[in-house]
């Protein structure tokens, strides 16, 4: 079964001109959910990952499943104001303006081998900021994985020093 057939395109969400890649149609399919998890796991299984960091909020879903399979810990990287304890933040550019993400200072210990995961790679700004957070805390970014990659937005360019994996690619909108 083609996993790509389980992704739903929603035009003009959350705003006009964006084609939103909706993964809920894959998540609800038992074969799709386990097949996607297995493919992501296979990319990382030999990498001695100690922590998986998932980016809010859709990155938490496969991020947690991967952490469980890899027998690693899970770290949430969250939108501003959500994490309760001591944290650091990193800003990144959006089409208009900036946004930021945060991580708990004690989430990573020096030398942690980290897999970062998000549902989708678009321009790469979010993941670039997430990698900086992990590295500032002394973690080593071993791999970055995505369920979906929008190739035409060239997000890989920002992340080229890393091992980047994705299981569903789109060459155009
Ligand atoms: P970027 O920083 O441009 O790589 O954007 C990646 C983040 O925005 C991810 O957390 C995605 O969930 C979300 N995102 C960007 N574009 C889309 C899209 N077309 N469909 C669904 N999510 C998207």
């Amino acid at each position: 079964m083609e996993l790509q057939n389980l992704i739903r395109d929603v035009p003009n969400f959350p705003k006009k001109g964006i084609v939103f890649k909706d993964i809920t149609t894959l998540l609800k399919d038992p074969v799709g959910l386990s097949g996607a998890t297995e493919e992501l796991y296979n990319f990382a299984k030999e990498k001695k990952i100690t922590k998986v960091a998932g980016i809010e909020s859709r990155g938490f879903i496969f991020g947690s499943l991967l952490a469980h399979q890899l027998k690693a810990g899970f770290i949430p990287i969250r939108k501003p104001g959500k994490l309760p304890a001591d944290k650091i933040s990193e800003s990144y550019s959006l089409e208009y303006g900036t946004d930021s993400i945060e991580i708990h200072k004690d989430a990573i210990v020096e030398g942690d081998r980290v897999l970062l995961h998000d549902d989708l790679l678009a321009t790469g700004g979010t993941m670039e900021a997430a990698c900086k957070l992990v590295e500032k805390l002394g973690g080593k970014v071993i791999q970055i994985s995505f369920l979906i990659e929008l190739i035409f937005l060239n997000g890989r360019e920002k992340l080229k020093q890393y091992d980047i994996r994705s299981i569903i690619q789109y060459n155009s909108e």
Side-chain angles (χ1 to χ4, degrees):
M1 185 213 20
E2 272 291 321
L3 291 174
Q4 187 153 343
N5 296 337
L6 294 171
I7 305 294
R8 171 166 53 196
D9 278 0
V10 184
N12 302 315
F13 183 89
K15 56 183 180 185
K16 207 168 163 51
I18 307 274
V19 180
F20 190 83
K21 300 294 183 195
D22 178 17
I23 65 167
T24 63
T25 36
L26 179 143
L27 296 175
K28 72 176 179 181
D29 184 293
V31 178
L33 182 66
S34 67
T37 309
E38 196 62 24
E39 283 195 39
L40 291 166
Y41 170 68
N42 283 337
F43 293 143
K45 66 184 176 191
E46 312 288 353
K47 302 278 184 184
K48 300 187 169 66
I49 302 296
T50 58
K51 303 258 174 68
V52 179
I55 302 176
E56 181 167 359
S57 58
R58 290 183 298 277
F60 292 173
I61 303 166
F62 286 103
S64 309
L65 291 167
L66 282 171
H68 177 69
Q69 275 205 275
L70 292 165
K71 298 191 169 26
F74 177 78
I75 299 166
I77 293 183
R78 299 210 62 180
K79 305 266 165 66
K82 304 280 189 189
L83 289 171
D86 257 5
K87 60 210 167 193
I88 56 168
S89 60
E90 186 71 41
S91 296
Y92 56 97
S93 316
L94 297 173
E95 202 178 346
Y96 301 103
T98 62
D99 210 341
S100 60
I101 47 175
E102 300 183 333
I103 190 169
H104 273 149
K105 278 186 182 165
D106 65 359
I108 303 272
V109 293
E110 193 73 35
D112 259 335
R113 296 175 60 83
V114 182
L115 165 65
L116 284 107
H117 176 79
D118 201 0
D119 68 323
L120 183 142
L121 173 61
T123 67
T126 313
M127 187 53 88
E128 186 184 29
C131 290
K132 284 186 188 158
L133 288 176
V134 167
E135 287 169 344
K136 275 184 182 168
L137 294 177
K140 196 166 181 336
V141 176
I142 301 296
Q143 189 174 84
I144 299 174
S145 72
F146 302 90
L147 193 60
I148 299 170
E149 177 175 358
L150 305 182
I151 306 260
F152 54 95
L153 294 178
N154 209 21
R156 272 180 183 261
E157 194 52 33
K158 281 199 183 80
L159 303 166
K160 57 180 173 229
Q161 70 268 43
Y162 302 115
D163 173 22
I164 309 166
R165 306 300 179 106
S166 61
I167 59 178
I168 301 167
Q169 294 89 21
Y170 292 86
N171 289 308
S172 64
E173 259 181 353

